[in-house]
Amino acid sequence: KAGVTQTPRYLIKTRGQQVTLSCSPISGHRSVSWYQQTPGQGLQFLFEYFSETQRNKGNFPGRFSGRQFSNSRSEMNVSTLELGDSALYLCASSFLAAKVTDTQYFGPGTRLTVL
Amino acid sequence: DQQVKQNSPSLSVQEGRISILNCDYTNSMFDYFLWYKKYPAEGPTFLISISSIKDKNEDGRFTVFLNKSAKHLSLHIVPSQPGDSAVYFCAASPNYGGATNKLIFGTGTLLAVQP
């Protein structure tokens, strides 16, 4: 069974540009969450989607947005990039998210560098 | 405000000895705790979890202890193996009364197991 895939793996952008990252969950999984990992900050929760609906959103500015498609694939978008947006962006999927004990599986991440 | 804290950025242990990784939290609404392990260039992988109604959970060489009164949990690895060298993240799930996969992560502890 294929794991969570994220594309692209590496991305270099300049300040002011926008970027779209993609996440394909494990087949059959309907819940997708996104996290930002920066040195010294650990993983910060961005948002969570289940069956195309955003269920939770973290404390990030409106420049960060996301969506989920009917096939459970998810995208996140960051507009007007800032230097501080340089980070590893991780996507995690789980089967239902009906209960917190539903194991989440992480993808390898997309490394975004903003110059 | 860091609600989940891992105060030791790194830990070095000899092969065969016990590794103890610590984690403190501030939010009494957390009701489920998890440990994830992360190798470079890979996403975090789930290791072990514990519900707030328990004080100990074991899985092979890994044991997690929860002290709710102290808002402290620890991960014990016995015996430690070189393959255990990785970054370990402590995570907590808030009980909002609804279904969610949102996790609050600590900043991680880099474990190095010396042969």
Side-chain angles (χ1 to χ4, degrees):
Chain A
K1 201 175 198 180
V4 178
T5 57
Q6 293 188 244
T7 56
R9 291 293 309 277
Y10 302 91
L11 206 48
I12 298 176
K13 292 285 188 179
T14 55
R15 279 180 299 174
Q17 286 187 309
Q18 76 164 17
V19 67
T20 299
L21 312 182
S22 179
C23 171
S24 293
I26 291 172
S27 178
H29 284 193
R30 293 164 61 190
S31 174
V32 173
S33 299
W34 288 88
Y35 291 84
Q36 179 196 64
Q37 184 187 3
T38 53
Q41 290 292 317
L43 281 75
Q44 306 277 314
F45 174 78
L46 280 157
F47 20 67
E48 171 188 15
Y49 290 89
F50 183 75
S51 291
E52 303 178 65
T53 301
Q54 185 180 89
R55 294 200 307 182
N56 260 305
K57 190 176 191 304
N59 189 24
F60 279 82
R63 301 184 297 106
F64 291 81
S65 63
R67 58 179 174 168
Q68 186 181 32
F69 302 94
S70 58
N71 62 358
S72 294
R73 190 177 70 84
S74 177
E75 288 181 347
M76 66 163 283
N77 183 278
V78 188
S79 62
T80 320
L81 283 165
E82 301 177 359
L83 295 178
D85 297 333
S86 295
L88 180 67
Y89 290 88
L90 292 158
C91 161
S93 80
S94 64
F95 180 52
L96 283 178
K99 48 190 292 190
V100 72
T101 50
D102 192 15
T103 302
Q104 293 189 68
Y105 297 87
F106 281 84
T110 294
R111 171 72 64 184
L112 172 65
T113 302
V114 182
L115 301 176
Chain B
D1 179 33
Q2 195 74 27
Q3 297 184 69
V4 177
K5 301 176 185 178
Q6 295 177 257
N7 293 318
S8 298
S10 63
L11 176 67
S12 183
V13 170
Q14 288 291 318
E15 180 179 4
R17 307 295 287 267
I18 183 171
S19 294
I20 300 177
L21 296 97
N22 293 302
C23 178
D24 297 295
Y25 62 96
T26 58
N27 191 338
S28 57
M29 292 294 289
F30 292 151
D31 65 351
Y32 196 70
F33 303 89
L34 308 90
W35 285 92
Y36 278 81
K37 179 170 73 172
K38 186 179 186 300
Y39 293 118
E42 295 182 13
T45 55
F46 170 75
L47 197 55
I48 192 169
S49 62
I50 188 167
S51 165
S52 60
I53 62 173
K54 294 186 174 182
D55 54 19
K56 177 182 173 182
N57 188 28
E58 273 184 272
D59 184 2
R61 296 186 298 114
F62 303 91
T63 303
V64 57
F65 295 92
L66 175 62
N67 183 333
K68 282 199 303 182
S69 60
K71 293 191 175 67
H72 177 84
L73 65 155
S74 60
L75 174 68
H76 292 209
I77 306 174
V78 184
S80 301
Q81 300 173 353
D84 296 329
S85 297
V87 177
Y88 288 78
F89 290 98
C90 169
S93 178
N95 179 8
Y96 291 148
T100 181
N101 263 335
K102 176 178 179 179
L103 295 175
I104 311 298
F105 280 86
T107 52
T109 296
L110 174 62
L111 173 65
V113 180
Q114 310 296 333

